[in-house]
């Protein structure tokens, strides 16, 4: 498995670098200690820095995007992702800020799924559901730093081995996450995993964005969002998809043209908004499952001009408007995080897909590795 992990890591860097557009000049990658866990495990912070004001800090704990700095239309640089200043807060007050989620991102109904005639029970950490791996998922693991490289594209490769039966999931899974940054403003994230038994995998990044700058007084609901999806997956009161692919036309879920998040976030006449306490829904992207990353969402802060484009190979994107941020979490620089202070756009297979045959299957088999390539592309508007 050590040789397999090395091969996955190498292919990850090459494959993701090939997807990123633009002519790269130079980008630096450095690493430093970020502290230790209670058991003495050291945690590393890796900084990827381009020459255009864009930089990212990745923690080996949770393979987490801790910071993402981007300039506004005047050149002023700000960190645009919510999170914490120290490792202890990620451990003591977990809220998925910027983490790698897995083995299965999003919800699985009743924490159960069947595979090859056998039913598997997962931890139920979201009411009766299993959410983002069941409470002790990839976000709470200390990942191994495999490589850190500077060059035309700066990169870091991290690896985690999840044993057979981990949180109830079958199969020993060797997972890698590769972050890359180039001069064009592309922060790429490539997820790969190989298993020794049939299993289900759905990995993504859970960064929560405020393009006005983390902790801004205005929050993120004034941002303009575009999602190229004619349909979304409505949910029941437990936030599990009903199985329907519902047209967005004529609803507050129509983001095919840019619109302010705030315009529909509190529309209590729509039962879907009531169920999610706002937006917390998966959109079925028009592009479907693709070989190379294509546009899943565009988020713009009109005040600063900062623009985020999310590209992915996956068929869905979960749009979450920070509805469960309730002012009890103290983030970076002592900022109190409240409802609407950030927006997550999580590319993925659909929620509860292991139990819904009509959705794209998340099944992964030996000899057929899992792969998800996504990009956070940063730019500015006038």
């Amino acid at each position: 498995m050590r040789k397999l992990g090395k091969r996955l890591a190498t292919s990850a860097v090459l494959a993701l670098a090939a997807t990123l557009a633009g002519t790269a000049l130079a980008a630096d990658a450095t690493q430093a200690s970020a502290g230790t866990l209670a058991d003495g495990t050291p945690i590393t912070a890796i900084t990827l820095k381009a020459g255009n004001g864009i930089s990212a800090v990745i923690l080996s704990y949770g393979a987490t995007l801790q910071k993402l700095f981007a300039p506004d239309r005047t050149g002023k640089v700000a960190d645009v992702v919510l999170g914490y200043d120290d490792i202890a807060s990620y451990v003591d007050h977990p809220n998925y800020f910027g983490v790698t989620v897995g083995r299965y991102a999003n919800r699985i109904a009743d924490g159960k799924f069947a595979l090859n005639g056998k039913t598997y029970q997962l931890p139920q950490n979201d009411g009766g559901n299993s959410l983002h791996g069941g409470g002790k998922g990839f976000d709470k693991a200390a990942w191994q730093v495999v490589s850190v490289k500077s060059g035309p594209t700066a990169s870091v490769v991290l690896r985690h081995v999840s044993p057979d039966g981990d949180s109830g999931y079958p199969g020993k899974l060797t997972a890698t996450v590769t972050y890359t940054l180039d001069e064009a403003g592309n922060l790429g994230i490539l997820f790969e995993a190989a298993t020794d038994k049939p299993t289900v995998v759905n990995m993504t990044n859970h960064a929560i964005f405020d393009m006005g700058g983390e902790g801004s007084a205005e929050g993120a609901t004034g941002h303009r969002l575009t999602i190229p999806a004619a349909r979304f997956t409505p949910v029941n009161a437990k936030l599990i998809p009903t199985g329907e692919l519902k047209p967005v036309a004529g609803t507050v879920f129509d983001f095919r043209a840019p619109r302010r998040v705030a315009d529909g976030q509190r529309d209590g006449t729509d039962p879907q908004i009531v169920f999610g306490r706002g937006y917390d829904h998966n959109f079925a992207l028009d592009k479907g499952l693709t070989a190379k990353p294509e546009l899943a969402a565009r988020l713009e802060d009109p005040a600063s001009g900062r623009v985020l484009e999310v590209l992915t190979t996956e068929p869905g994107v979960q749009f979450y408007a920070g509805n469960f941020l309730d002012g009890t979490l103290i983030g970076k620089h002592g900022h109190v995080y409240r409802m609407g202070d950030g927006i997550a756009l999580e590319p993925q297979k659909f929620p509860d897909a292991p139990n819904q045959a009509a959705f794209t299957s998340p099944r992964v088999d030996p000899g057929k590795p899992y792969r998800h390539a996504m990009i956070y592309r940063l730019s500015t508007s006038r």
Side-chain angles (χ1 to χ4, degrees):
M1 289 303 288
R2 291 183 65 185
K3 290 183 178 179
L4 175 59
K6 183 177 181 180
R7 187 163 63 250
L8 280 172
T10 301
S11 67
V13 175
L14 295 176
L16 189 56
T19 70
L20 301 179
T23 302
L25 300 176
D28 293 326
T30 58
Q31 54 184 320
S33 172
T36 59
L37 302 181
D39 64 0
T41 302
I43 301 300
T44 303
I46 302 94
T47 299
L48 308 181
K49 188 174 183 180
N52 56 1
I54 296 174
S55 63
V57 177
I58 294 96
L59 300 176
S60 58
Y61 182 75
T64 298
L65 177 61
Q66 182 190 25
K67 302 175 184 178
L68 182 59
F69 293 95
D72 67 7
R73 63 167 65 93
T74 69
K76 181 180 179 182
V77 174
D79 184 1
V80 297
V81 294
L82 277 60
Y84 297 117
D85 292 317
D86 59 277
I87 287 295
S89 294
Y90 283 97
V91 174
D92 296 338
H93 307 288
N95 201 67
Y96 303 110
F97 292 131
V99 301
T100 293
V101 286
R103 291 187 186 190
Y104 200 92
N106 218 311
R107 295 173 173 88
I108 294 178
D110 301 321
K112 293 181 181 179
F113 69 92
L115 198 62
N116 291 347
K118 182 177 180 180
T119 298
Y120 294 91
Q121 180 65 61
L122 314 174
Q124 294 166 289
N125 63 321
D126 178 60
N129 307 321
S130 183
L131 174 67
H132 295 330
K136 292 184 179 179
F138 289 177
D139 58 301
K140 296 176 180 65
W143 291 60
Q144 175 192 359
V145 179
V146 177
S147 69
V148 178
K149 295 181 180 179
S150 300
T153 300
S155 67
V156 57
V157 182
L158 303 113
R159 179 169 56 210
H160 173 60
V161 179
S162 175
D164 184 19
D166 190 12
S167 291
Y169 287 92
K172 178 182 178 182
L173 194 77
T174 301
T176 62
V177 178
T178 302
Y179 285 89
T180 59
L181 180 65
D182 70 9
E183 288 289 333
N186 297 294
L187 179 67
I189 311 176
L190 180 64
F191 307 94
E192 289 189 312
T195 183
D196 63 357
K197 292 182 182 178
T199 191
V200 295
V201 181
N202 186 32
M203 296 171 64
T204 193
N205 183 270
H206 200 288
I208 301 180
F209 293 91
D210 179 354
M211 300 308 292
E214 170 275 331
S216 72
E218 297 79 11
T221 57
H223 291 9
R224 293 174 61 82
L225 177 64
T226 308
I227 301 177
R231 298 178 299 173
F232 77 106
T233 53
V235 296
N236 61 25
K238 294 183 178 180
L239 299 182
I240 295 296
T242 63
E244 178 187 5
L245 292 177
K246 183 177 180 179
V248 300
T251 76
V252 295
F253 293 87
D254 193 348
F255 288 93
R256 290 174 294 176
R259 58 179 294 182
R260 289 188 344 133
V261 171
D263 291 346
Q265 172 74 347
R266 291 179 173 81
D267 186 354
T269 64
D270 190 315
Q272 288 298 306
I273 295 293
V274 175
F275 288 157
R277 302 187 191 178
Y279 292 111
D280 190 9
H281 294 77
N282 170 70
F283 287 72
L285 298 169
D286 294 341
K287 72 176 190 63
L289 187 69
T290 50
K292 295 182 179 181
E294 296 182 17
L295 186 67
R298 183 182 188 275
L299 187 66
E300 178 185 356
D301 172 35
S304 69
R306 292 190 188 92
V307 175
L308 169 72
E309 291 177 301
V310 181
L311 295 85
T312 182
T313 53
E314 293 292 70
V317 62
Q318 182 85 6
F319 165 35
Y320 166 61
N323 314 329
F324 296 93
L325 298 175
D326 59 5
T328 60
L329 298 175
I330 310 300
K332 299 172 185 175
H333 311 294
H335 293 148
V336 174
Y337 291 148
R338 311 152 304 171
M339 180 179 182
D341 276 355
I343 289 170
L345 296 161
E346 309 156 56
Q348 59 182 276
K349 299 289 194 304
F350 294 178
D352 200 37
N355 295 313
Q356 306 213 25
F359 293 168
T360 301
S361 174
R363 176 172 174 147
V364 178
D365 290 297
K368 297 180 180 179
Y370 168 87
R371 180 180 184 275
H372 169 204
M374 61 176 287
I375 301 168
Y376 290 138
R377 177 172 293 161
L378 297 161
S379 61
T380 56
S381 63
R382 294 184 178 182

